[in-house]
Amino acid sequence: MQSAPAESSVESPAETHEESPAETAEVSLFDRRYEPNVAEVNQLCDTLAELKPGSEVPYIDPQHDVDEARIVSLFSNNGPAHPSGFITAGSDEAVTRLLGVHWQVGLQPKYVMPWNVHPWYTPGEPHTKLTKEEVQEGLRPLLRFLALVPRASVIVAHGTEAQRLAAAFLKTENRMIYRRSFKVYKARSAEGRSFGATEERQQESLAEMRIVYKDAMARTGLAATGR
């Protein structure tokens, strides 16, 4: 007489799914968003999100530092929010590009702080292009953000919208502009569409970006490396 087959111990894919090391690291990083070196700016992000119920405001990665930041990378954010939940230069390709530029010139994360022209994202909406009204709406959050990074004196404005907001900031004649001798540098967006179709043109664009950051570093007393 045959015995009844044993119940299968194989679990369904949903039951056996385990987070990958990358997923675990991303969750761990997000859980650190209120560490002392970024707590104030990320609390500001929470406050801004509360002003627009249903919106999302990406956070500052804890690798940055409000007390040490000398340079602000201002992004035009003409695309969807990054799934990490943090402010980035855009798509993964754009992030890789800008990280490469920073690495080549020796710019450590603690010395640079990212910010978006229009901090708010609406889940499910493409957020493909900012209107003039949205750019202007980003001015007050920018002023509040800059007040929290007391050593920052340079804005590298990536893309047209960022350059418009930076120009509007200078026109406010806010006291911090003169107290810190703020300077704005215009730079390309790190997204691929801003780099041209050929490899040669892309390399030229990256070289231009390196020059901008090296000059910004020199202005703020940071020693740059590389060519």
Side-chain angles (χ1 to χ4, degrees):
M1 180 177 176
Q2 290 183 327
S3 60
E7 291 186 9
S8 172
S9 61
V10 178
E11 297 176 334
S12 68
E15 294 173 323
T16 59
H17 173 73
E18 294 182 2
E19 289 187 337
S20 68
E23 289 173 325
T24 301
E26 191 171 281
V27 170
S28 176
L29 190 66
F30 192 79
D31 288 344
R32 293 170 47 211
R33 65 192 183 280
Y34 296 120
E35 289 191 349
N37 54 300
V38 288
E40 287 184 294
V41 291
N42 285 337
Q43 288 163 358
L44 170 62
C45 293
D46 288 334
T47 299
L48 293 174
E50 291 170 1
L51 294 176
K52 289 179 175 289
S55 70
E56 295 177 355
V57 177
Y59 293 106
I60 303 291
D61 189 304
Q63 68 180 322
H64 303 290
D65 192 302
V66 293
D67 292 324
E68 294 292 340
R70 320 290 177 81
I71 299 168
V72 172
S73 290
L74 184 61
F75 301 127
S76 294
N77 61 307
N78 296 343
H82 196 272
S84 67
F86 293 108
I87 297 173
T88 70
S91 64
D92 287 341
E93 292 78 10
V95 172
T96 299
R97 255 182 223 109
L98 191 60
L99 283 177
V101 167
H102 288 180
W103 179 80
Q104 288 171 327
V105 301
L107 179 56
Q108 297 179 47
K110 66 180 180 180
Y111 294 127
V112 62
M113 187 77 73
W115 191 249
N116 281 333
V117 169
H118 192 257
W120 301 276
Y121 287 86
T122 302
E125 292 189 4
H127 203 73
T128 54
K129 187 175 182 180
L130 298 179
T131 65
K132 291 181 180 179
E133 291 75 20
E134 286 175 323
V135 172
Q136 188 62 33
E137 192 177 20
L139 180 56
R140 183 169 293 180
L142 176 64
L143 291 171
R144 295 178 66 179
F145 165 73
L146 292 175
L148 299 176
V149 283
R151 301 184 72 180
S153 60
V154 162
I155 295 175
V156 177
H158 287 273
T160 302
E161 289 86 354
Q163 291 163 20
R164 287 175 181 165
L165 181 59
F169 162 64
L170 293 179
K171 289 179 181 178
T172 65
E173 299 186 359
N174 187 288
R175 284 181 295 178
M176 78 173 84
I177 297 172
Y178 306 103
R179 188 170 63 248
R180 303 191 209 171
S181 299
F182 257 101
K183 181 170 181 176
V184 170
Y185 291 86
K186 294 182 179 181
R188 292 177 181 273
S189 166
E191 290 291 359
R193 61 181 178 272
S194 300
F195 277 73
T198 67
E199 177 65 21
E200 181 181 8
R201 183 60 188 135
Q202 291 176 24
Q203 291 305 315
E204 290 175 357
S205 297
L206 289 171
E208 291 170 4
M209 201 175 291
R210 288 195 295 270
I211 291 171
V212 166
Y213 274 98
K214 288 180 74 170
D215 199 64
M217 291 172 70
R219 182 178 176 83
T220 57
L222 299 173
T225 61
R227 296 185 292 117

